[in-house]
Amino acid sequence: MRFRHPDGSTVHLAYCTNVHPAETLDGVLAQLRDHCEPVRRRLGRDRLGIGLWLARDAAHALVTDPSALRGLRGELDRRGLEVVTLNGFPYEGFGAEEVKYRVYKPDWADPERLDHTTSLARVLAGLLPDDVTEGTVSTLPLAWRTAYDDTRADKARSALATLAERLDALEELTGRSIRIGLEPEPGCVVETTHDAIAPLTAIGHDRVGVCVDTCHLATSFEDPHTALDALTEARVPVVKSQLSAALHAEHPRDPAVREALAAFAEPRFLHQTRTTTVDGALHGTDDLDEALAADGPLPGTAAWRAHFHVPLHADPAAPLTSTLPVLKAALSRLVGGPHPLTRHLEVETYTWQALPPELRPRGRAQLTDGIAAELTLARDLLTDLGLKELP
């Protein structure tokens, strides 16, 4: 979906396909047929943006076989779909029964991450619509925090500098500008937008910036305006933003609240949980069940937030809520000003099948309806900010 900003630029809205992960190119093609095109039809649109997630094997197949890349581009066109952004965070296995810490491997100290992200950039340059010259790829925020020492930090910094050089060369070759955004996430080396400023200014290249995920922003209790103003002041570009909402529990000591939270503790993904103390310090656990344990380390005197991407259009039942207000505040700063801070927005609710059983979609049709409802909400937020939806 495309929108005209009041300054005349085009803002793109997509939804991320990691909600129906596939490891192979054949699986990606099936996604387009079984999920993406039905969402477009459900919305009644001639064109729908999707943020593709391409696992290692699928990306390798596309970058080594020009005919396969042309075939994917043709399939996108036939199904009324377009791609201006990729989710390059998960490397492989995102559909596994247990993902947890595996999603952070390989990290930016591992040469495989540089090679994979380079492949994604080359693929994206071949998938961009004819009238679009800029693409974006989101990636993990350097590494998970443990076992990340100065040696690994140097390797990661060198890899990102090499990537920036490769992206410069790619634009010279193709005329397409691809940028990469580190996506701050709780528990990682770059947990917050503030954490991103030092390593990105050290790289000093506008090819590499930040992907602001509004669920992660909220989970870490960052104020959107303060965070985005700091990035702007530091001249760190917001490459893209993922529109998502976290779980919010206002009174975590309440037994009913703890029971409601427990329904969202599940074995597939990490659900980092955070709270703040009166002095503003951030405290957290790596997963929701750790926070809920009888001897859990989190105080219950202030609200908790959990990294669980809940559907944008459907608040969890009381006594829980979502952090949709944080998303709205971030979006107003991202695209509500005289000029957009980013032109690539991506709805990213990948946890539909990890929701408590009674909230999960039953079959493809219900999932299609849910994704369409999220995109409708995002569209309405954009038009309320003065953007005009384009055909």
Side-chain angles (χ1 to χ4, degrees), residues 18-60:
N18 62 357
V19 61
H20 12 257
E23 299 292 315
T24 66
L25 180 54
D26 284 344
V28 171
L29 294 172
Q31 286 178 353
L32 306 184
R33 179 192 67 228
D34 297 338
H35 299 288
C36 302
E37 185 178 12
V39 171
R40 178 184 66 76
R41 293 185 180 278
R42 174 67 178 79
L43 289 166
R45 304 295 300 161
D46 293 333
R47 174 174 54 190
L48 176 67
I50 57 172
L52 273 182
W53 173 61
L54 296 173
R56 177 196 61 179
D57 289 349
H60 180 74

